[in-house]
PDB file of all heavy atoms in Angstrom:
ATOM      1  N   THR K 244       7.589   8.363   5.388  1.00  0.00           N
ATOM      2  CA  THR K 244       7.678   9.299   4.280  1.00  0.00           C
ATOM      3  C   THR K 244       9.096   9.830   4.176  1.00  0.00           C
ATOM      4  O   THR K 244       9.867   9.730   5.130  1.00  0.00           O
ATOM      5  CB  THR K 244       6.699  10.487   4.470  1.00  0.00           C
ATOM      6  OG1 THR K 244       7.128  11.241   5.634  1.00  0.00           O
ATOM      7  CG2 THR K 244       5.272  10.023   4.672  1.00  0.00           C
ATOM      8  N   PRO K 245       9.461  10.449   3.050  1.00  0.00           N
ATOM      9  CA  PRO K 245      10.792  11.073   2.954  1.00  0.00           C
ATOM     10  C   PRO K 245      11.027  12.139   4.035  1.00  0.00           C
ATOM     11  O   PRO K 245      12.135  12.258   4.566  1.00  0.00           O
ATOM     12  CB  PRO K 245      10.781  11.691   1.553  1.00  0.00           C
ATOM     13  CG  PRO K 245       9.817  10.860   0.784  1.00  0.00           C
ATOM     14  CD  PRO K 245       8.743  10.471   1.758  1.00  0.00           C
ATOM     15  N   GLY K 246       9.973  12.893   4.354  1.00  0.00           N
ATOM     16  CA  GLY K 246      10.108  13.903   5.385  1.00  0.00           C
ATOM     17  C   GLY K 246      10.396  13.307   6.752  1.00  0.00           C
ATOM     18  O   GLY K 246      11.206  13.833   7.514  1.00  0.00           O
ATOM     19  N   PHE K 247       9.746  12.196   7.066  1.00  0.00           N
ATOM     20  CA  PHE K 247       9.968  11.521   8.350  1.00  0.00           C
ATOM     21  C   PHE K 247      11.388  10.961   8.424  1.00  0.00           C
ATOM     22  O   PHE K 247      12.050  11.041   9.469  1.00  0.00           O
ATOM     23  CB  PHE K 247       8.944  10.408   8.550  1.00  0.00           C
ATOM     24  CG  PHE K 247       9.132   9.623   9.800  1.00  0.00           C
ATOM     25  CD1 PHE K 247       8.871  10.177  11.032  1.00  0.00           C
ATOM     26  CD2 PHE K 247       9.560   8.296   9.756  1.00  0.00           C
ATOM     27  CE1 PHE K 247       9.043   9.451  12.213  1.00  0.00           C
ATOM     28  CE2 PHE K 247       9.746   7.563  10.924  1.00  0.00           C
ATOM     29  CZ  PHE K 247       9.475   8.137  12.150  1.00  0.00           C
ATOM     30  N   ALA K 248      11.858  10.414   7.299  1.00  0.00           N
ATOM     31  CA  ALA K 248      13.222   9.878   7.267  1.00  0.00           C
ATOM     32  C   ALA K 248      14.250  10.975   7.505  1.00  0.00           C
ATOM     33  O   ALA K 248      15.236  10.792   8.239  1.00  0.00           O
ATOM     34  CB  ALA K 248      13.473   9.192   5.923  1.00  0.00           C
ATOM     35  N   GLU K 249      14.013  12.140   6.920  1.00  0.00           N
ATOM     36  CA  GLU K 249      14.923  13.270   7.090  1.00  0.00           C
ATOM     37  C   GLU K 249      14.876  13.779   8.521  1.00  0.00           C
ATOM     38  O   GLU K 249      15.916  14.090   9.125  1.00  0.00           O
ATOM     39  CB  GLU K 249      14.542  14.390   6.108  1.00  0.00           C
ATOM     40  CG  GLU K 249      15.570  15.488   5.980  1.00  0.00           C
ATOM     41  CD  GLU K 249      16.898  15.041   5.396  1.00  0.00           C
ATOM     42  OE1 GLU K 249      16.908  14.068   4.626  1.00  0.00           O
ATOM     43  OE2 GLU K 249      17.931  15.655   5.733  1.00  0.00           O
ATOM     44  N   GLU K 250      13.685  13.864   9.081  1.00  0.00           N
ATOM     45  CA  GLU K 250      13.520  14.328  10.469  1.00  0.00           C
ATOM     46  C   GLU K 250      14.238  13.412  11.458  1.00  0.00           C
ATOM     47  O   GLU K 250      14.830  13.865  12.434  1.00  0.00           O
ATOM     48  CB  GLU K 250      12.023  14.372  10.792  1.00  0.00           C
ATOM     49  CG  GLU K 250      11.677  14.619  12.241  1.00  0.00           C
ATOM     50  CD  GLU K 250      10.220  14.328  12.537  1.00  0.00           C
ATOM     51  OE1 GLU K 250       9.342  14.803  11.781  1.00  0.00           O
ATOM     52  OE2 GLU K 250       9.964  13.612  13.522  1.00  0.00           O
ATOM     53  N   SER K 251      14.190  12.106  11.191  1.00  0.00           N
ATOM     54  CA  SER K 251      14.768  11.128  12.110  1.00  0.00           C
ATOM     55  C   SER K 251      16.284  11.269  12.244  1.00  0.00           C
ATOM     56  O   SER K 251      16.854  10.843  13.253  1.00  0.00           O
ATOM     57  CB  SER K 251      14.430   9.698  11.643  1.00  0.00           C
ATOM     58  OG  SER K 251      13.024   9.496  11.660  1.00  0.00           O
ATOM     59  N   LYS K 252      16.905  11.878  11.256  1.00  0.00           N
ATOM     60  CA  LYS K 252      18.360  12.035  11.300  1.00  0.00           C
ATOM     61  C   LYS K 252      18.830  12.970  12.413  1.00  0.00           C
ATOM     62  O   LYS K 252      19.956  12.850  12.895  1.00  0.00           O
ATOM     63  CB  LYS K 252      18.876  12.563   9.953  1.00  0.00           C
ATOM     64  CG  LYS K 252      18.676  11.607   8.784  1.00  0.00           C
ATOM     65  CD  LYS K 252      19.153  12.250   7.484  1.00  0.00           C
ATOM     66  CE  LYS K 252      18.932  11.331   6.287  1.00  0.00           C
ATOM     67  NZ  LYS K 252      19.346  11.960   5.021  1.00  0.00           N
ATOM     68  N   THR K 253      17.982  13.899  12.805  1.00  0.00           N
ATOM     69  CA  THR K 253      18.385  14.904  13.796  1.00  0.00           C
ATOM     70  C   THR K 253      17.623  14.785  15.126  1.00  0.00           C
ATOM     71  O   THR K 253      17.743  15.662  15.974  1.00  0.00           O
ATOM     72  CB  THR K 253      18.176  16.318  13.233  1.00  0.00           C
ATOM     73  OG1 THR K 253      16.780  16.494  12.897  1.00  0.00           O
ATOM     74  CG2 THR K 253      19.017  16.547  11.979  1.00  0.00           C
ATOM     75  N   LYS K 254      16.862  13.719  15.302  1.00  0.00           N
ATOM     76  CA  LYS K 254      16.096  13.570  16.522  1.00  0.00           C
ATOM     77  C   LYS K 254      17.013  13.384  17.732  1.00  0.00           C
ATOM     78  O   LYS K 254      17.950  12.578  17.674  1.00  0.00           O
ATOM     79  CB  LYS K 254      15.156  12.370  16.429  1.00  0.00           C
ATOM     80  CG  LYS K 254      13.864  12.609  15.682  1.00  0.00           C
ATOM     81  CD  LYS K 254      12.994  11.371  15.717  1.00  0.00           C
ATOM     82  CE  LYS K 254      11.681  11.604  15.008  1.00  0.00           C
ATOM     83  NZ  LYS K 254      10.849  10.372  15.016  1.00  0.00           N
ATOM     84  N   PRO K 255      16.750  14.081  18.838  1.00  0.00           N
ATOM     85  CA  PRO K 255      17.471  13.802  20.080  1.00  0.00           C
ATOM     86  C   PRO K 255      17.168  12.361  20.537  1.00  0.00           C
ATOM     87  O   PRO K 255      16.146  11.785  20.149  1.00  0.00           O
ATOM     88  CB  PRO K 255      16.892  14.816  21.071  1.00  0.00           C
ATOM     89  CG  PRO K 255      16.268  15.879  20.233  1.00  0.00           C
ATOM     90  CD  PRO K 255      15.802  15.203  18.980  1.00  0.00           C
ATOM     91  N   LEU K 256      18.038  11.807  21.353  1.00  0.00           N
ATOM     92  CA  LEU K 256      17.859  10.423  21.823  1.00  0.00           C
ATOM     93  C   LEU K 256      16.504  10.252  22.519  1.00  0.00           C
ATOM     94  O   LEU K 256      15.813   9.250  22.311  1.00  0.00           O
ATOM     95  CB  LEU K 256      18.979  10.057  22.793  1.00  0.00           C
ATOM     96  CG  LEU K 256      18.891   8.662  23.442  1.00  0.00           C
ATOM     97  CD1 LEU K 256      18.908   7.571  22.381  1.00  0.00           C
ATOM     98  CD2 LEU K 256      20.017   8.470  24.449  1.00  0.00           C
ATOM     99  N   GLU K 257      16.110  11.240  23.349  1.00  0.00           N
ATOM    100  CA  GLU K 257      14.841  11.157  24.063  1.00  0.00           C
ATOM    101  C   GLU K 257      13.679  11.026  23.099  1.00  0.00           C
ATOM    102  O   GLU K 257      12.760  10.228  23.315  1.00  0.00           O
ATOM    103  CB  GLU K 257      14.644  12.392  24.953  1.00  0.00           C
ATOM    104  CG  GLU K 257      15.598  12.509  26.123  1.00  0.00           C
ATOM    105  CD  GLU K 257      16.893  13.241  25.772  1.00  0.00           C
ATOM    106  OE1 GLU K 257      17.213  13.354  24.566  1.00  0.00           O
ATOM    107  OE2 GLU K 257      17.593  13.688  26.711  1.00  0.00           O
ATOM    108  N   THR K 258      13.724  11.821  22.026  1.00  0.00           N
ATOM    109  CA  THR K 258      12.645  11.803  21.048  1.00  0.00           C
ATOM    110  C   THR K 258      12.570  10.449  20.341  1.00  0.00           C
ATOM    111  O   THR K 258      11.490   9.909  20.098  1.00  0.00           O
ATOM    112  CB  THR K 258      12.844  12.918  20.005  1.00  0.00           C
ATOM    113  OG1 THR K 258      13.050  14.163  20.686  1.00  0.00           O
ATOM    114  CG2 THR K 258      11.631  13.058  19.105  1.00  0.00           C
ATOM    115  N   LYS K 259      13.742   9.900  20.015  1.00  0.00           N
ATOM    116  CA  LYS K 259      13.782   8.585  19.365  1.00  0.00           C
ATOM    117  C   LYS K 259      13.180   7.502  20.255  1.00  0.00           C
ATOM    118  O   LYS K 259      12.393   6.664  19.802  1.00  0.00           O
ATOM    119  CB  LYS K 259      15.216   8.222  19.007  1.00  0.00           C
ATOM    120  CG  LYS K 259      15.811   9.054  17.889  1.00  0.00           C
ATOM    121  CD  LYS K 259      17.243   8.625  17.605  1.00  0.00           C
ATOM    122  CE  LYS K 259      17.851   9.468  16.475  1.00  0.00           C
ATOM    123  NZ  LYS K 259      19.255   9.079  16.197  1.00  0.00           N
ATOM    124  N   LEU K 260      13.538   7.526  21.538  1.00  0.00           N
ATOM    125  CA  LEU K 260      13.030   6.513  22.462  1.00  0.00           C
ATOM    126  C   LEU K 260      11.526   6.635  22.678  1.00  0.00           C
ATOM    127  O   LEU K 260      10.816   5.637  22.756  1.00  0.00           O
ATOM    128  CB  LEU K 260      13.765   6.615  23.809  1.00  0.00           C
ATOM    129  CG  LEU K 260      15.253   6.242  23.773  1.00  0.00           C
ATOM    130  CD1 LEU K 260      15.909   6.516  25.123  1.00  0.00           C
ATOM    131  CD2 LEU K 260      15.444   4.779  23.386  1.00  0.00           C
ATOM    132  N   ILE K 261      11.043   7.874  22.764  1.00  0.00           N
ATOM    133  CA  ILE K 261       9.589   8.086  22.899  1.00  0.00           C
ATOM    134  C   ILE K 261       8.874   7.610  21.642  1.00  0.00           C
ATOM    135  O   ILE K 261       7.813   6.980  21.713  1.00  0.00           O
ATOM    136  CB  ILE K 261       9.292   9.571  23.174  1.00  0.00           C
ATOM    137  CG1 ILE K 261       9.754   9.934  24.590  1.00  0.00           C
ATOM    138  CG2 ILE K 261       7.803   9.862  23.017  1.00  0.00           C
ATOM    139  CD1 ILE K 261       9.690  11.412  24.903  1.00  0.00           C
ATOM    140  N   SER K 262       9.464   7.887  20.471  1.00  0.00           N
ATOM    141  CA  SER K 262       8.831   7.494  19.201  1.00  0.00           C
ATOM    142  C   SER K 262       8.728   5.975  19.078  1.00  0.00           C
ATOM    143  O   SER K 262       7.821   5.456  18.423  1.00  0.00           O
ATOM    144  CB  SER K 262       9.633   8.048  18.023  1.00  0.00           C
ATOM    145  OG  SER K 262       9.621   9.458  18.014  1.00  0.00           O
ATOM    146  N   GLU K 263       9.670   5.265  19.715  1.00  0.00           N
ATOM    147  CA  GLU K 263       9.668   3.809  19.628  1.00  0.00           C
ATOM    148  C   GLU K 263       8.485   3.174  20.356  1.00  0.00           C
ATOM    149  O   GLU K 263       8.207   1.979  20.159  1.00  0.00           O
ATOM    150  CB  GLU K 263      10.981   3.254  20.197  1.00  0.00           C
ATOM    151  CG  GLU K 263      12.188   3.514  19.290  1.00  0.00           C
ATOM    152  CD  GLU K 263      13.485   3.067  19.935  1.00  0.00           C
ATOM    153  OE1 GLU K 263      13.438   2.597  21.098  1.00  0.00           O
ATOM    154  OE2 GLU K 263      14.546   3.215  19.295  1.00  0.00           O
ATOM    155  N   THR K 264       7.784   3.967  21.174  1.00  0.00           N
ATOM    156  CA  THR K 264       6.619   3.415  21.876  1.00  0.00           C
ATOM    157  C   THR K 264       5.425   3.239  20.969  1.00  0.00           C
ATOM    158  O   THR K 264       4.418   2.625  21.343  1.00  0.00           O
ATOM    159  CB  THR K 264       6.216   4.318  23.062  1.00  0.00           C
ATOM    160  OG1 THR K 264       5.852   5.626  22.558  1.00  0.00           O
ATOM    161  CG2 THR K 264       7.358   4.471  24.048  1.00  0.00           C
ATOM    162  N   SER K 265       5.503   3.796  19.754  1.00  0.00           N
ATOM    163  CA  SER K 265       4.405   3.625  18.790  1.00  0.00           C
ATOM    164  C   SER K 265       4.990   3.141  17.459  1.00  0.00           C
ATOM    165  O   SER K 265       6.161   3.363  17.170  1.00  0.00           O
ATOM    166  CB  SER K 265       3.650   4.941  18.587  1.00  0.00           C
ATOM    167  OG  SER K 265       4.518   5.947  18.106  1.00  0.00           O
ATOM    168  N   SER K 266       4.151   2.517  16.647  1.00  0.00           N
ATOM    169  CA  SER K 266       4.598   1.993  15.364  1.00  0.00           C
ATOM    170  C   SER K 266       4.542   3.058  14.283  1.00  0.00           C
ATOM    171  O   SER K 266       3.850   4.059  14.419  1.00  0.00           O
ATOM    172  CB  SER K 266       3.737   0.794  14.950  1.00  0.00           C
ATOM    173  OG  SER K 266       2.379   1.170  14.880  1.00  0.00           O
ATOM    174  N   VAL K 267       5.291   2.840  13.204  1.00  0.00           N
ATOM    175  CA  VAL K 267       5.300   3.744  12.059  1.00  0.00           C
ATOM    176  C   VAL K 267       4.287   3.262  11.024  1.00  0.00           C
ATOM    177  O   VAL K 267       4.309   2.088  10.628  1.00  0.00           O
ATOM    178  CB  VAL K 267       6.706   3.815  11.434  1.00  0.00           C
ATOM    179  CG1 VAL K 267       6.701   4.733  10.209  1.00  0.00           C
ATOM    180  CG2 VAL K 267       7.721   4.329  12.451  1.00  0.00           C
ATOM    181  N   CYS K 268       3.395   4.136  10.611  1.00  0.00           N
ATOM    182  CA  CYS K 268       2.352   3.774   9.636  1.00  0.00           C
ATOM    183  C   CYS K 268       2.845   3.996   8.204  1.00  0.00           C
ATOM    184  O   CYS K 268       3.774   4.771   7.959  1.00  0.00           O
ATOM    185  CB  CYS K 268       1.101   4.602   9.889  1.00  0.00           C
ATOM    186  SG  CYS K 268       0.208   4.159  11.402  1.00  0.00           S
ATOM    187  N   GLN K 269       2.165   3.347   7.276  1.00  0.00           N
ATOM    188  CA  GLN K 269       2.432   3.558   5.865  1.00  0.00           C
ATOM    189  C   GLN K 269       1.611   4.740   5.365  1.00  0.00           C
ATOM    190  O   GLN K 269       0.466   4.950   5.767  1.00  0.00           O
ATOM    191  CB  GLN K 269       2.079   2.310   5.057  1.00  0.00           C
ATOM    192  CG  GLN K 269       2.946   1.090   5.402  1.00  0.00           C
ATOM    193  CD  GLN K 269       4.415   1.350   5.161  1.00  0.00           C
ATOM    194  OE1 GLN K 269       4.837   1.788   4.086  1.00  0.00           O
ATOM    195  NE2 GLN K 269       5.230   1.073   6.186  1.00  0.00           N
TER     196      GLN K 269
END
Side-chain angles (χ1 to χ4, degrees):
T244 65
F247 177 70
E249 192 64 28
E250 171 194 312
S251 297
K252 295 177 182 178
T253 59
K254 279 182 178 178
L256 176 61
E257 292 89 341
T258 309
K259 290 180 180 179
L260 293 174
I261 289 172
S262 297
E263 288 175 358
T264 61
S265 60
S266 58
V267 178
C268 290
Q269 296 301 308

